[in-house]
Amino acid sequence: MYAIALVCLGNICRSPMAHVVLEARLHDAGLDDQVAVASSGTGGWHTGEAMDSRAAKVLSGHSYDPSRHVAEHFTTDWYAEHDLILAMDDSNYADIIDLAPTVAEQSKVRMFRDFDPEATAGDNEVPDPWYGGREGFERVLAMIERTTDGLIAQIPDLINPA
Ligand code: 4NP
């Protein structure tokens, strides 16, 4: 299995939403037997908790199932267990890089929105919706769905690099 890790700060909003959407779309694409998905947060405060209720509500409203999420904490061990580690924002990226066991393994880390066709050099983060209202979570979901489609299209090349 090709293993993808999605990482944000708390693992209760952004990376869990991306986790649910990516799993659903891998299933729809018939790729769920080739790609495994996990998510975690660089901060451990919410470990063991369910998804943020606002994130869950927005996912449910778009026919996704948020109910199985249990928050995990990103540690150095995640490098050995995953082929591709995708950071939601620049600060997550820096924190993940700091935990790399070797410099070579840092190449596993990319920005999630590297796969968003609408991302630009100055707009390549998934903003933290934690302090905002429902509107912010809806915007984040649209960004995640668009990026996930871009990621799904790249899966064959990721699994079998030229
Ligand atoms: P997330 O959002 O990184 O998208 O899961 C956050 C959730 C919780 C906190 C920060 C961000 N927090 O500080 O507890």
Side-chain angles (χ1 to χ4, degrees):
M1 290 280 259
Y2 185 82
I4 300 177
L6 303 162
V7 184
C8 62
L9 178 59
N11 193 220
I12 54 171
C13 299
R14 292 166 292 175
S15 61
M17 292 172 79
H19 187 160
V20 167
V21 171
L22 179 56
E23 277 192 340
R25 297 203 171 182
L26 284 167
H27 178 78
D28 291 346
L31 290 166
D32 48 346
D33 58 342
Q34 294 177 61
V35 182
V37 185
S39 67
S40 59
T42 56
W45 319 284
H46 298 284
T47 301
E49 291 179 17
M51 202 181 299
D52 177 276
S53 59
R54 298 162 296 176
K57 201 165 178 178
V58 166
L59 283 174
S60 300
H62 290 260
S63 303
Y64 296 102
D65 174 13
S67 68
R68 286 171 297 149
H69 183 69
V70 180
E72 295 191 55
H73 188 196
F74 183 87
T75 60
T76 298
D77 295 342
W78 281 60
Y79 274 92
E81 295 160 1
H82 297 91
D83 300 291
L84 179 65
I85 299 170
L86 299 177
M88 293 292 142
D89 68 28
D90 290 341
S91 135
N92 308 146
Y93 184 92
D95 290 341
I96 294 163
I97 289 286
D98 279 347
L99 288 169
T102 64
V103 170
E105 287 199 69
Q106 292 176 345
S107 64
K108 288 183 173 180
V109 188
R110 293 178 63 178
M111 292 293 280
F112 177 66
R113 286 189 67 207
D114 279 359
F115 298 95
D116 180 357
E118 292 183 23
T120 62
D123 175 19
N124 71 338
E125 300 183 284
V126 179
D128 191 344
W130 174 256
Y131 296 104
R134 186 192 174 106
E135 183 64 28
F137 284 82
E138 290 281 0
R139 256 200 315 277
V140 161
L141 178 60
M143 192 178 268
I144 284 172
E145 288 182 317
R146 193 172 70 223
T147 302
T148 299
D149 286 340
L151 175 57
I152 292 278
Q154 292 296 312
I155 293 285
D157 290 340
L158 289 165
I159 293 178
N160 291 309

